[in-house]
Amino acid sequence: MGADLEPGVRLKEIRSKCLTVTHEFVVARCRDELGGHRGGGFVADALTSFLAGGKFLRPVFAYIGWTCGGAESDAALRAAGSLELLHCFALVQDDVMDGSSLRRGKPALHRRMAQWHREEGLSGSPEKFGESAAVLLADLFLVWSERMLRECGLPAAALSRGWPRYDDLRAELAVGQFSDLVNDAGRAPGWDSVLDVLRRKSGNYTVRRPLEFGAALAGCGEQQLAGLSAYGRLVGEAFQFRDDLLGVFGDPRVTGKPVGEDLRDRKATSVVVLAAELADPAQARELRALTRLDAVEPADVRRWQALIAATGAPGELERMIGRRSADALEAVERAGLPDPARAALAELASSCTERAR
Amino acid sequence: MGADLEPGVRLKEIRSKCLTVTHEFVVARCRDELGGHRGGGFVADALTSFLAGGKFLRPVFAYIGWTCGGAESDAALRAAGSLELLHCFALVQDDVMDGSSLRRGKPALHRRMAQWHREEGLSGSPEKFGESAAVLLADLFLVWSERMLRECGLPAAALSRGWPRYDDLRAELAVGQFSDLVNDAGRAPGWDSVLDVLRRKSGNYTVRRPLEFGAALAGCGEQQLAGLSAYGRLVGEAFQFRDDLLGVFGDPRVTGKPVGEDLRDRKATSVVVLAAELADPAQARELRALTRLDAVEPADVRRWQALIAATGAPGELERMIGRRSADALEAVERAGLPDPARAALAELASSCTERAR
């Protein structure tokens, strides 16, 4: 897979190959496990189209990590692809827990299953059915992820270097979601606690762990691993800060999510918590009043956005994003990585931190 | 582990050793993954006490399967124990989906988490929090099960014989739950479809697959595997018929569940569906009327139980249980299994099909 390609083109190619191998795996699993079951065909369509909508960011990072020590390999593509199935699991379950009706601009999986329930004329509550079905289908993604890795075709020695990283990633994901749940339900969590969850859940999960996982599979040495870890931690945090900014200020036509979704959901994200810490007494009172509204109207969202902007939190986060991006590139320079990997990481740092969706 | 012990005593010993190794694993995981998180201590207590309440039926079957070809082994105990973690995952998630408030006579895990939410004075709905938290903790059980098996200490050759069985078991479990959901929501499923779900979900899952899994790990030959499969299918079905009878007629002081729980939940279990098929027109009308009640009072449950009894369904199921038990013992006799395993399987066949809880 052309290591001599222009970085943006090469990344697109990696994404597309990861999608292909993961899609093949899911199609085979649906055929073997769901074939002949009522609703099996509908579910197979829903799962494969859910998969196809993904950015495959984690597999791409894992594969770039792999190329720091290993040659181009279909087995490594499959190992990397397993992380996307883990991500599908997390998204489907998150949407159920958050009651999100949209994912990537389309009905969330639990909504699709509820709609199927209606069309089939089944009895009971379509919503309840949709939620239960989506949780079960998320379980399938979780189980398939591990199986895809186990059966990827890499030698046992490579796999045994990868499992501890995979286990950490998976555990941090579930425990991070749990802490998120507790934080969202806690009254006004502090910045430190938000940063901790963000590091464990998204920062590590999206960039650092996938990179380390791929590099460990390839048997990279200490110096390279340390460089990738530093890059991953910094870009991961910047990625999440951007995500949180988009959750409050993002353009719904671009993000595919309702405007100000994180505000409506009272999520304790970085920008929300930082705004609360930077607010003057009058702003703080108004922010608290908005948090306590029973129903949030469009005008409330606009007022809320303006207030958060006025505290200076978005500007501060932009500065933090910029600083992290620069430090990440420096860490990569010092790590002695192959040129194509370095170029790809630089490209990924921009696309993760400057994106609009 | 004394193969010369009286079968009942030996089975108790196996259960207790499986519990010990599984408990150790869960304690280590809670320490590494939940340590330092808000609620981590409470969750660790909740998960270990949930585990300790289990019958460990699946690990015991798996270990008996193992002893058909392998020597006593702590590694095999850990491999067997991994099935109990899978079972914990299924129970916790089932209770959320069914809205069951009790499990083994104690508050279900989602209720315990809701109670913790209240005691901590967190904001938002305690019920919603409890359900989301329980689904996430079920995920941990699912992930830990696979990890416990991978790290059990058996040689790679043994494990590679076990993985396909483990994967089948896990997939059948999730897909079986999904079919269950569809059946419960379908209008009056037929006996064939109920029998299919029952075979895939409980029949295979409780007895047959665990036995095959243990025997495969031990490298048993075709004849033994065939005998264990036949036994497992028959005892598994009988086990589930008994479970369904207890779900309608069980004594709540013994089962730890509300009286007539499956009726209140409109579950399409074997006894309910068979009663519908055997009912005369007048009985069928009355059964349908009960199914459509908005609220089920204790008097309705008693009337419902009497109606089902009057169709002859319970007697028919008792005959089916008896026939399956007898056929299972015959299959085991022909399979050329070691004496202690044969004795243990005979004992397990009675305890699974004659139990009151």
Side-chain angles (χ1 to χ4, degrees):
Chain A
M1 202 152 39
D4 50 343
L5 290 174
E6 189 268 315
V9 177
R10 181 166 146 72
L11 289 171
K12 277 207 185 99
E13 197 185 52
I14 294 175
R15 181 211 176 257
S16 141
K17 295 204 176 189
C18 284
L19 168 58
T20 302
V21 294
T22 314
H23 181 265
E24 277 168 9
F25 185 84
V26 168
V27 167
R29 297 269 54 73
C30 286
R31 186 194 56 220
D32 292 355
E33 296 172 15
L34 297 163
H37 286 267
R38 182 172 181 191
F42 180 86
V43 166
D45 282 350
L47 297 186
T48 48
S49 74
F50 189 90
L51 179 73
K55 291 197 279 275
F56 280 68
L57 207 47
R58 291 145 197 90
V60 168
F61 275 118
Y63 194 75
I64 295 295
W66 165 266
T67 63
C68 292
E72 305 285 344
S73 146
D74 281 356
L77 279 174
R78 282 190 288 271
S82 73
L83 299 189
E84 190 68 16
L85 295 181
L86 193 60
H87 189 50
C88 289
F89 148 76
L91 294 180
V92 170
Q93 233 180 45
D94 259 1
D95 285 346
V96 172
M97 290 179 187
D98 296 347
S100 309
S101 46
L102 288 177
R103 167 64 60 186
R104 299 164 184 153
K106 290 183 187 162
L109 190 58
H110 61 102
R111 298 292 291 250
R112 291 197 64 178
M113 295 310 301
Q115 186 55 29
W116 180 78
H117 180 283
R118 274 185 215 98
E119 283 161 12
E120 292 281 308
L122 299 178
S123 62
S125 151
E127 283 69 33
K128 182 88 186 112
F129 173 89
E131 290 178 10
S132 294
V135 166
L136 283 169
L137 299 177
D139 294 339
L140 285 182
F141 275 132
L142 176 61
V143 159
W144 291 346
S145 166
E146 178 272 328
R147 182 164 170 188
M148 186 172 181
L149 174 57
R150 176 158 34 88
E151 299 179 350
C152 71
L154 286 178
L159 273 182
S160 70
R161 287 191 303 263
W163 282 121
R165 308 282 179 170
Y166 181 79
D167 284 335
D168 284 351
L169 197 157
R170 214 166 42 165
E172 282 180 0
L173 176 63
V175 174
Q177 282 183 294
F178 179 74
S179 292
D180 232 5
L181 208 61
V182 174
N183 262 354
D184 285 344
R187 293 182 202 286
W191 173 249
D192 288 348
S193 131
V194 168
L195 205 62
D196 177 61
V197 169
L198 180 153
R199 280 202 179 113
R200 283 172 187 267
K201 188 180 168 190
S202 308
N204 283 342
Y205 162 68
T206 305
V207 189
R208 181 179 167 187
R209 297 299 188 202
L211 269 174
E212 292 175 340
F213 168 69
L217 287 172
C220 287
E222 279 307 315
Q223 192 204 355
Q224 295 191 328
L225 273 173
L228 292 171
S229 294
Y231 169 98
R233 186 177 58 77
L234 293 160
V235 172
E237 285 181 23
F239 173 87
Q240 189 58 43
F241 290 151
R242 174 65 60 212
D243 214 52
D244 292 347
L245 284 168
L246 291 171
V248 172
F249 298 102
D251 179 345
R253 287 163 306 179
V254 183
T255 61
K257 292 178 189 171
V259 63
E261 192 182 31
D262 286 354
L263 297 174
R264 296 173 190 276
D265 295 345
R266 316 295 198 277
K267 286 210 174 177
T269 66
S270 59
V271 61
V272 168
V273 173
L274 191 59
E277 303 222 339
L278 297 177
D280 64 31
Q283 288 169 332
R285 264 194 309 278
E286 211 175 336
L287 282 171
R288 276 197 301 273
L290 284 164
T291 310
R292 282 194 293 257
L293 285 179
D294 283 332
V296 178
E297 303 298 328
D300 300 320
V301 169
R302 284 192 296 274
R303 176 74 201 127
W304 209 331
Q305 289 171 328
L307 256 173
I308 289 178
T311 65
E316 181 54 33
L317 275 178
E318 290 289 354
R319 274 187 295 279
M320 293 169 73
I321 290 172
R323 210 154 50 227
R324 278 166 175 72
S325 275
D327 290 351
L329 295 184
E330 231 178 82
V332 158
E333 288 306 318
R334 285 195 306 267
L337 304 175
D339 276 344
R342 234 172 41 190
L345 290 171
E347 176 75 19
L348 281 164
S350 333
S351 66
C352 283
T353 56
E354 292 161 17
R355 69 206 160 86
R357 69 182 187 103
Chain B
M1 201 150 44
D4 49 343
L5 291 172
E6 188 267 315
V9 177
R10 181 165 147 72
L11 290 171
K12 275 206 186 97
E13 197 184 52
I14 294 175
R15 182 212 175 258
S16 140
K17 296 204 174 191
C18 284
L19 168 59
T20 302
V21 293
T22 314
H23 181 265
E24 277 169 10
F25 184 85
V26 168
V27 166
R29 297 270 54 73
C30 286
R31 187 193 55 220
D32 292 355
E33 296 172 16
L34 297 163
H37 284 268
R38 181 171 181 190
F42 181 85
V43 166
D45 282 351
L47 298 186
T48 47
S49 74
F50 190 90
L51 179 74
K55 290 198 279 274
F56 279 68
L57 206 48
R58 291 146 197 91
V60 168
F61 274 118
Y63 194 76
I64 295 296
W66 165 266
T67 64
C68 292
E72 305 285 344
S73 145
D74 282 356
L77 280 174
R78 283 190 289 270
S82 74
L83 299 189
E84 190 68 16
L85 295 181
L86 194 60
H87 189 51
C88 289
F89 149 76
L91 294 180
V92 169
Q93 233 181 45
D94 259 0
D95 285 346
V96 171
M97 291 179 187
D98 297 347
S100 309
S101 45
L102 288 177
R103 167 63 61 185
R104 299 164 185 155
K106 290 184 188 161
L109 190 59
H110 61 102
R111 299 294 291 250
R112 291 196 64 178
M113 295 311 300
Q115 186 55 29
W116 180 77
H117 180 283
R118 271 185 218 99
E119 283 161 12
E120 293 281 308
L122 298 178
S123 62
S125 151
E127 283 69 32
K128 182 88 185 111
F129 174 88
E131 289 178 11
S132 294
V135 166
L136 283 169
L137 298 178
D139 294 339
L140 285 182
F141 275 131
L142 176 61
V143 159
W144 290 347
S145 164
E146 178 271 328
R147 182 164 171 187
M148 187 172 179
L149 174 57
R150 175 157 37 87
E151 298 179 349
C152 71
L154 286 178
L159 272 183
S160 70
R161 286 191 303 263
W163 282 120
R165 309 282 179 171
Y166 181 78
D167 284 335
D168 285 350
L169 195 157
R170 216 167 41 164
E172 282 180 1
L173 175 63
V175 174
Q177 281 183 294
F178 178 74
S179 293
D180 231 5
L181 208 61
V182 175
N183 261 353
D184 285 343
R187 295 182 200 286
W191 174 249
D192 287 347
S193 132
V194 168
L195 204 61
D196 178 61
V197 169
L198 180 154
R199 278 201 181 116
R200 284 173 186 264
K201 189 179 168 189
S202 308
N204 282 344
Y205 162 68
T206 306
V207 189
R208 181 179 166 189
R209 297 297 188 202
L211 268 174
E212 292 175 340
F213 167 69
L217 287 172
C220 288
E222 279 307 313
Q223 191 203 356
Q224 295 191 327
L225 274 173
L228 292 172
S229 294
Y231 168 97
R233 186 177 58 76
L234 293 159
V235 172
E237 285 182 23
F239 173 86
Q240 189 58 42
F241 290 151
R242 174 64 60 211
D243 215 50
D244 292 347
L245 283 168
L246 290 172
V248 172
F249 297 102
D251 180 343
R253 287 163 306 180
V254 183
T255 61
K257 292 177 190 172
V259 64
E261 192 181 33
D262 286 354
L263 296 175
R264 294 173 191 277
D265 295 345
R266 316 294 199 276
K267 286 211 172 176
T269 65
S270 60
V271 63
V272 168
V273 174
L274 191 59
E277 302 220 340
L278 297 177
D280 64 31
Q283 288 169 330
R285 263 193 310 278
E286 212 175 336
L287 283 171
R288 275 197 302 274
L290 284 163
T291 309
R292 281 194 293 257
L293 284 180
D294 283 331
V296 178
E297 304 297 329
D300 301 320
V301 170
R302 285 192 297 273
R303 176 74 200 127
W304 209 332
Q305 289 171 328
L307 255 173
I308 289 178
T311 65
E316 182 54 33
L317 275 179
E318 291 288 356
R319 274 187 295 279
M320 292 167 75
I321 290 172
R323 208 152 53 226
R324 277 165 175 73
S325 274
D327 290 351
L329 295 183
E330 229 176 84
V332 158
E333 287 305 319
R334 286 194 305 267
L337 303 176
D339 277 343
R342 234 174 39 193
L345 289 172
E347 176 76 19
L348 280 165
S350 336
S351 66
C352 282
T353 56
E354 292 161 18
R355 72 207 159 87
R357 70 181 188 105

